[in-house]
Each structure stands twice: as structure tokens, then as C-alpha cells.
Amino acid sequence: MSNNGAETSAAGGHVVRVRGSVIDVAFDAELPEIDHLLTVPGSSVAMEVVAHLDAATVRTVALTPARGLARGDPVADTGAPIEVPVGESVLGRVFDVFGNTIDGEPDGMISTLPRRTIHRHPVPMIERPSQSGTFITGIKIIDVLAPLERGGKAGLFGGAGVGKTVLIMELVNNVVGAHEGVSVFCGIGERNREAGELHRELIDSGVLDNTVLVFSQMDEQPGARLRVGHTALTMSEWFRDERNQDVLLLIDNIFRFVQAGAEVSALLGHVPSQLGYQPDLETMLASLQERIASTDAGAITSVQAVYVPADDLTDPAAVHVFGHLSASVVLSRDRAARGLYPAIDPLQSDSKMLNRAVVGERHYRIARETREMLARYEELQDVIAMLGVEELAAEDQLVVARARRLERFLTQPFAVTEQFTDLPGRFVELEDALEGCERILAGELDDRAEDELYMIGGLDDLEPR
């Protein structure tokens, strides 16, 4: 384990207590500050200071396995928090929470790069722009009904197995290639399989050279999983502040960040709050989320997958994440079961960018009418289930027919699932998506079968008649 470029200070201490990942260290001289990184000479054990217990003792949380550590073992204060490399040379590389490369490639210029602490202050409000625009993803249902904000935060909410990671990977494929800035992918508690798949996907699509990957694995210490997001964000901030570039920050999965915080809180003996979450959930989450911001020079746009326990959007973790977002994309298990991919719920998903002043009158009108028609179809579902479509009034039958066409038009083949579906992925321009919805709402495609609109890009993909 490297010491992250910080010179080890003369201050030394020794272990006085080891309780799992929580380690108490006594110092004879001045105590290290909160968040300082401590190391054990001759060992790979690293820990972060989280509290001062008394005038001579600090409490730390291990960032690496503490196996073999014993009372009396010497401990060195590095004199600084975790510091990670920043600069152009991080592009195309894979890092861990300490800023060490883990892709098996030679370090090259990485060891010569300047380093920054991962604990930084958010951009002051006075330095943030007062206006923002939309961020086009090429995914129809998102761009029409829940447009993302440039420099904002968007959450992909869903339970297990509804397609959050696939959607994140498609955003990488669609956006990174056309993205003029750089992209940073942060995997919090990531599975090795998913990390490997993403790395290969970036290599195959030719966009790895404009991307930084930062991972903590599922079997790592909760302290490491809690800090890896700060590592990725520190690298993102350098490109925004020093190179005045736009950065796309993709996080999978922010719920594992909350889980890591809950584990650390429990290890420290804090009394849990509702449903077992840590009492400082909001503060801990804000320490990360509030740093994701725009300046007049550049923007960090973040898309975050958010696991929703038991599909319950009132879970405290989901509720607290909601409060930081400018767009919420909610995935539906019901739509996934019906084969409507991406399985995004058009009625629960929303964005503050969807107003006339930002997207314009036409986009706002089409989105509102689309939602209204799909909401009316939802209301008629019980009647249809009991009596059938034939018993509806003629006007309602027309609503059902057009709503079903809208549902199918808002599906889309993804490049990352092409090997499973044999359908080439489609990037759909906003104008094409709006035109398709507008023509369906106007009844221009009433003579087309529903299935003809399923899994296409724009209306140009329809078979000519």
C-alpha cells in the first residue's frame, strides 16, 4: 500500500485496541487530525482517523484488512488525508480508493502527477452559474420525459434486476463517445464481473482514453467503499477546475455508499436511526453530493444508480438521495416483466428541467400530453382487466390504442444488450423522439400495428408502406 505521496511525519503511535475494522491508536505527541491517513510500517494496513477519544488516543476505521494487527504495533501518521493523483495521465486508467492503479498496466506518468486530498469543500454558491441547460443522452424516454440537467445530478432508482447497471452502461456507450469532456466511472462495492465487463465495453467502443475508472470491490472494507466516491470526485474536480472541461460522473451504486456508511457507523457503536440507517445519513450523503456542481468554467454532471430496497421509494436511503437530484428516473419491475425496455416508469420519473423556460413550449407540451395519455391508460387498466377493451367508450378505446403505441415507441434497443437481443443499439436525437411522440398523439400512426413501434429508434426505422 503506497503512502499516497504524503511524507510520513515524525509523529508515531501504537495500537491500543483492535475491534474488527475499528482500531484505537495512542500517540505520545500531537494527535493526527480527523481524516488523516495512518499506516502500519512494514504492513499493508491503512486506516483513517474518525474521532479523538481523549488527549492521547484516536479512533480509526481500517481501509484495508486489519488481519494480523496486534496491540502495541507501531502506527505512523502520514500527515495528511488520502491523496490521489490528478492530471491528464489518469485518463484510460483504473484506480482504487488510494489512487493506486489496478489495471495491471505500468504506472508510467502516474507516479509523477500532483496529488490532491479527497476531502475537499464544495464550490461556494456565489461561484455557481444561475442557469443551466439539458444534457442529451440519446435515450428517448429520458430525453422526452425526464431530461437530465447539465451540471446536475440524476438518479436511476430501482430494485434488484430491473436494469440500473445496463442503463448506466448504455449512457457510457451513448454519451461518452459524443461527450466533449471526460468521463469518470465510480464503482462503489462493485462486482468483479461487472467491472470487467465495463472495462471491456469501453475498450471495444474506443472511449477508454477519455474515461477514468475508480473501483472499490464488494469484499473490501466498508471504510474503503465509503471513500471511493470521494476519490472519483476529486479526479473529476481537477478536470473541471484546472482544464475547464465538462465531466460526466457515473456512480454505480450510491446505495452501497449509504450501506458502507451504515456499516462504519455500526462498527463505531453509533445508535442507529429508522430502519437501521446511520444517524448522520443526511450529513454523510451531503458531503459527497454537494461537491457535484457546476462553475462558469465547467460542469460535473452525475448519473447515479440507486438501489431501492424492496422497491420501496419511501425507504430513508432513497428519500435522502431524492433531495439532492434534479432528475429522478424510476425503473419499474412491472414494465420489465412486460418487456418494455428500458423499464422506466414514465409517470414516476420526473425532472425539474421539464419546464417551458428550459426545454421550450413544444417539448413541454409533448411531454405533458404524453404523460396525460399514459396516466389515463393507467386509470383504465382495472376496467380493461374486468370487462375488456371492447366495453370502453370509443374515446377511451382511442386513448388506449395511442397510449399502447406510445409505450412501445418509448422502448429502445441498447448497444450494450445487442449480443442478447440481436438488435443494433440506437442513439435517438431529441427531435426524432419528440416527432415520434407528437405524431402518435395526433393519431397519424393509428393505422400502424403496435408491434411495428416496438424496439425502434426514430420513426425513420418504420418499414415503408
Side-chain angles (χ1 to χ4, degrees), residues 174-453:
N174 279 8
V175 178
V176 173
H179 189 50
E180 294 182 356
V182 301
S183 298
V184 178
F185 181 92
C186 176
I188 302 177
E190 195 77 342
R191 301 177 181 90
N192 281 345
R193 171 184 57 80
E194 292 176 345
E197 287 175 358
L198 176 64
H199 193 235
R200 288 190 294 273
E201 180 75 29
L202 293 175
I203 293 173
D204 293 343
S205 57
V207 296
L208 181 63
D209 290 343
N210 289 320
T211 306
V212 184
L213 302 175
V214 185
F215 289 114
S216 68
Q217 299 174 22
M218 294 189 84
D219 63 343
E220 290 187 20
Q221 298 296 304
R225 286 181 271 126
L226 184 64
R227 293 296 179 230
V228 70
H230 297 79
T231 296
L233 191 48
T234 299
M235 293 180 175
S236 302
E237 288 169 336
W238 186 88
F239 286 102
R240 180 195 66 192
D241 300 336
E242 303 301 327
R243 289 292 181 265
N244 299 333
Q245 289 180 292
D246 284 357
V247 181
L248 176 64
L249 175 61
L250 300 143
I251 302 177
D252 186 14
N253 181 314
I254 201 68
F255 179 76
R256 296 195 194 115
F257 171 74
V258 173
Q259 274 187 317
E263 288 182 55
V264 169
S265 180
L267 289 167
L268 294 172
H270 296 163
V271 177
S273 61
Q274 53 183 336
L275 299 183
Y277 287 106
Q278 57 272 44
D280 61 343
L281 172 59
E282 178 58 43
T283 304
M284 183 208 69
L285 198 56
S287 70
L288 182 73
Q289 298 283 8
E290 290 305 299
R291 287 173 57 185
I292 302 172
S294 299
T295 66
D296 290 330
I300 298 178
T301 302
S302 176
V303 180
Q304 310 170 11
V306 188
Y307 169 71
V308 181
D311 294 341
D312 179 13
L313 290 172
T314 65
D315 185 89
V319 170
H320 283 86
V321 173
F322 264 123
H324 293 277
L325 305 178
S326 56
S328 302
V329 178
V330 180
L331 287 95
S332 161
R333 195 170 300 280
D334 175 65
R335 291 177 66 83
R338 291 160 56 196
L340 300 174
Y341 294 105
I344 295 171
D345 190 321
L347 302 180
Q348 292 196 74
S349 302
D350 199 11
S351 170
K352 75 172 188 179
M353 305 303 290
L354 195 60
N355 63 66
R356 293 182 177 89
V358 177
V359 300
E361 177 63 36
R362 177 171 175 254
H363 185 164
Y364 177 80
R365 173 182 55 80
I366 292 172
R368 189 193 68 233
E369 292 177 0
T370 298
R371 273 222 181 92
E372 288 175 352
M373 184 161 286
L374 292 172
R376 178 59 182 155
Y377 176 46
E378 188 76 19
E379 292 171 1
L380 293 170
Q381 291 284 14
D382 289 342
V383 178
I384 295 171
M386 290 187 292
L387 304 176
V389 178
E390 297 78 12
E391 298 301 317
L392 297 176
E395 181 182 349
D396 287 339
Q397 288 190 30
L398 195 59
V399 167
V400 170
R402 290 178 182 172
R404 288 177 63 85
R405 284 170 172 77
L406 276 172
E407 279 190 332
R408 280 146 184 78
F409 177 69
L410 291 175
T411 61
Q412 188 170 337
F414 281 179
V416 297
T417 60
E418 185 174 333
Q419 58 182 316
F420 307 110
T421 63
D422 289 331
L423 297 172
R426 303 287 294 173
F427 182 102
V428 182
E429 298 293 344
L430 176 60
E431 178 56 37
D432 294 336
L434 290 174
E435 180 192 0
C437 292
E438 190 173 39
R439 291 179 62 185
I440 293 171
L441 289 166
E444 294 182 29
L445 299 174
D446 287 354
D447 61 335
R448 290 280 192 168
E450 296 172 4
D451 290 345
E452 291 185 68
L453 297 169

Side-chain angles (χ1 to χ4, degrees), residues 92-163:
R93 303 303 303 269
V94 186
F95 296 91
D96 64 11
V97 65
F98 299 105
N100 300 320
T101 56
I102 55 173
D103 52 11
E105 300 293 329
D107 274 358
M109 297 292 293
I110 301 298
S111 59
T112 65
L113 292 177
R115 288 177 175 263
R116 279 187 177 183
T117 172
I118 66 170
H119 297 283
R120 300 173 59 82
H121 295 294
V123 176
M125 290 296 297
I126 194 67
E127 297 180 16
R128 303 190 185 195
S130 57
Q131 295 182 331
S132 59
T134 57
F135 189 89
I136 302 302
T137 66
I139 299 173
K140 288 180 287 188
I141 193 168
I142 292 179
D143 290 341
V144 173
L145 299 179
L148 307 189
E149 178 187 11
R150 176 185 173 271
K153 297 178 278 286
L156 307 179
F157 291 83
V162 293

Side-chain angles (χ1 to χ4, degrees), residues 10-34:
H14 63 276
V15 175
V16 295
R17 185 183 185 190
V18 180
R19 188 180 60 195
S21 294
V22 177
I23 303 161
D24 294 346
V25 183
F27 284 82
D28 298 327
E30 184 179 351
L31 293 184
E33 296 179 16
I34 301 295

Side-chain angles (χ1 to χ4, degrees), residues 161-183:
V162 293
K164 298 184 298 301
T165 300
V166 169
L167 203 52
I168 283 273
M169 291 176 68
E170 184 68 10
L171 283 169
V172 171
N173 185 81
N174 279 8
V175 178
V176 173
H179 189 50
E180 294 182 356
V182 301
S183 298

Side-chain angles (χ1 to χ4, degrees), residues 13-93:
H14 63 276
V15 175
V16 295
R17 185 183 185 190
V18 180
R19 188 180 60 195
S21 294
V22 177
I23 303 161
D24 294 346
V25 183
F27 284 82
D28 298 327
E30 184 179 351
L31 293 184
E33 296 179 16
I34 301 295
D35 294 331
H36 270 205
L37 180 68
L38 309 184
T39 60
V40 177
S43 166
S44 63
V45 178
M47 58 198 89
E48 187 177 71
V49 179
V50 295
H52 290 174
L53 297 183
D54 54 42
T57 313
V58 298
R59 178 154 288 170
T60 72
V61 171
L63 303 175
T64 58
R67 288 187 297 271
L69 200 61
R71 285 191 299 174
D73 283 352
V75 175
D77 175 16
T78 64
I82 298 172
E83 294 181 339
V84 298
V86 292
E88 298 283 353
S89 298
V90 302
L91 292 172
R93 303 303 303 269

